[in-house]
Amino acid sequence: MRDALIQISYIAAAVLFIFGLKMLNSPATARRGNLISAVGMLLAIVATLAYRGLSYHWIVLGIVAGSVAGLWSAKRVPMTAMPEFVALFNGFGGLASLLIGWAEYDHSINLWRGLITDPGFSKHLESPIWFKATAIYVTVLIGGVTFSGSIVAYGKLAERISGKPYLFKGQQAVNALVLAVLVIGMGVFFLNPTELYPVFLVALVLSLALGVLLTIPIGGADMPVVLSLLNSYSGLAACAAGFVILNTVLIVAGALVGASGIILTTIMCKAMNRSLSNVLFGGFGSNAASGAAEEAGEAKAISADDAYYALEAANNVIIVPGYGMAVAQAQHAVRELGDLLEDNGTEVRYAIHPVAGRMPGHMNVLLAEANVPYEQLVEMDDINPLMETVDVAIVIGANDVVNPAAREDAGSAIYGMPIINVDKARTVFVLKRSMRSGFAGIENPLFYRPNTRMLFGDAKASVQALVTQFKGG
């Protein structure tokens, strides 16, 4: 009876996960969807604790440690650090799956030896032993790649290591060789899992190495795609771990995360007009500066006072946020400026590029935190046809997603990437600290266009100066 209730609880938890994920499609229901998913996870935990023979003191210790770490992170980690925080979460998910597979193999190996030496045992390929051994190997493989790859992504996003691609001669051949050895190792391990512990350990080490090798050639501009892909990997690793311990809810939850991560990765690649293979193996950003065409002329600076007069007279304004807004934590000041513009009779919209920032949905999260009405957020494809009618476009810390070289310069590293065409607006204000290129290291000819004015300084201070002007200061 107890086992039946546990399985029913797992099914209920899986249903709650699916409904919660569905509700995340809309900002109006996202908070409720997150709560429903959390209830599903609580139900899954309670059902797991109902199993007999569990060592509860370790489980309680894990719950307490995880709760303290999660609470501390939620309170202390700033929104600007959210991309690298997400990378760490993906990595820990992969590490957890790896440890589950390793612990289950270590626990099962002696039992398997006893079964195989039993005269009544039939060494058939459909035996549960070989199925479980294969699931363990796959769990460790994907978990290792996810963990080490996420740590490298964290280092790039936190700028603890350079965001530029690390490339060396024969890199793809080395990656292919490591992957081939892992696949061959799985076949060898499958044949005799009880006597090949060294093969298992070699596979574990190579999976960690492969994660590093797959991530270091990826440039900083591709980090949003990498994060969604690593998120998918962590889901697949959890799904494989579910098969190892025969846990229904872990299989379902892992499959949901893996599938949604792949779908998001595909959407992100489409937004950059690039294939996933090009993102993974293209070394984007390694020679970005040399491929960009920097226009002749000088950038024209403008003061907050002069910018105010143009905004005060504008009928419609488009605000394009980027990572610079996150660094300056300017989202609340931006929302206040938007409110003042609307009070002045100006139509205000926020144009969001799919890969703006350093993680999927980065700008949406920041603007939602500042209580910007979701109806004011517009996608790139919806705003571009109207851009020539826009009086003022304000670019706050964005660079690559508004770079006209993507349309005009065939030698640019981002040529062909869909961008927000702010250069077609009547007037463009670019808020930047300096003339430095963005995270991808690509020069932006937008800065030199005759309709562009540069408002130099910290983005938050610049926006607050505009707010002061509107308030009569």
Side-chain angles (χ1 to χ4, degrees), residues 137 141 175-190 199 203 206 210:
Y137 191 97
L141 171 58
N175 291 350
L177 178 62
V178 173
L179 184 59
V181 171
L182 285 168
V183 172
I184 294 171
M186 181 168 64
V188 173
F189 182 75
F190 175 84
V199 172
L206 287 180
L210 184 62

Side-chain angles (χ1 to χ4, degrees), residues 214-268:
L214 288 175
T215 312
I216 58 171
I218 301 175
D222 287 331
M223 279 299 114
V225 180
V226 174
L227 281 182
S228 61
L229 185 62
L230 288 170
N231 181 253
S232 177
Y233 286 170
S234 68
L236 294 175
C239 183
F243 282 106
V244 169
I245 61 176
L246 299 179
N247 187 292
T248 305
V249 74
L250 193 55
I251 295 171
V252 173
L256 287 172
V257 174
S260 59
I262 287 293
I263 293 171
L264 181 58
T265 301
T266 303
I267 293 172
M268 304 282 280

Side-chain angles (χ1 to χ4, degrees), residues 30-97:
R31 191 183 297 271
R32 190 160 66 252
N34 197 35
L35 180 60
I36 289 174
S37 298
V39 171
M41 181 58 70
L42 177 62
L43 181 60
I45 292 173
V46 171
T48 301
L49 294 177
Y51 270 114
R52 301 181 181 89
L54 291 178
S55 180
Y56 284 98
H57 62 283
W58 287 111
I59 294 175
V60 171
L61 179 62
I63 291 174
V64 171
S67 298
V68 170
L71 182 62
W72 180 89
S73 301
K75 295 290 186 181
R76 297 295 300 274
V77 176
M79 290 301 295
T80 51
M82 197 53 62
E84 51 262 45
F85 193 50
V86 170
L88 279 181
F89 268 179
N90 289 337
F92 287 143
L95 179 62
S97 299

Side-chain angles (χ1 to χ4, degrees), residues 24-159:
L24 292 177
N25 284 337
S26 170
T29 59
R31 191 183 297 271
R32 190 160 66 252
N34 197 35
L35 180 60
I36 289 174
S37 298
V39 171
M41 181 58 70
L42 177 62
L43 181 60
I45 292 173
V46 171
T48 301
L49 294 177
Y51 270 114
R52 301 181 181 89
L54 291 178
S55 180
Y56 284 98
H57 62 283
W58 287 111
I59 294 175
V60 171
L61 179 62
I63 291 174
V64 171
S67 298
V68 170
L71 182 62
W72 180 89
S73 301
K75 295 290 186 181
R76 297 295 300 274
V77 176
M79 290 301 295
T80 51
M82 197 53 62
E84 51 262 45
F85 193 50
V86 170
L88 279 181
F89 268 179
N90 289 337
F92 287 143
L95 179 62
S97 299
L98 183 152
L99 293 176
I100 288 173
W102 192 355
E104 191 65 20
Y105 177 53
D106 199 61
H107 173 74
S108 302
I109 190 168
N110 289 328
L111 174 63
W112 291 348
R113 285 174 179 153
L115 288 174
I116 291 175
T117 55
D118 188 338
F121 178 77
S122 175
K123 190 175 181 181
H124 194 276
L125 293 182
E126 294 180 0
S127 168
I129 288 181
W130 279 270
F131 173 81
K132 188 171 184 177
T134 304
I136 288 173
Y137 191 97
V138 171
T139 300
V140 170
L141 171 58
I142 302 177
V145 170
T146 304
F147 174 64
S148 59
S150 297
I151 295 301
V152 174
Y154 163 79
K156 286 176 176 280
L157 289 164
E159 298 184 5

Side-chain angles (χ1 to χ4, degrees), residues 80 319-332 334 350 362-363 366-367 396-398 459-460:
T80 51
I319 298 174
V320 183
Y323 186 68
M325 185 184 77
V327 172
Q329 300 184 38
Q331 59 269 27
H332 294 281
V334 169
Y350 300 80
H362 197 181
M363 296 302 104
L366 289 175
L367 294 175
I396 307 178
K460 184 176 182 179

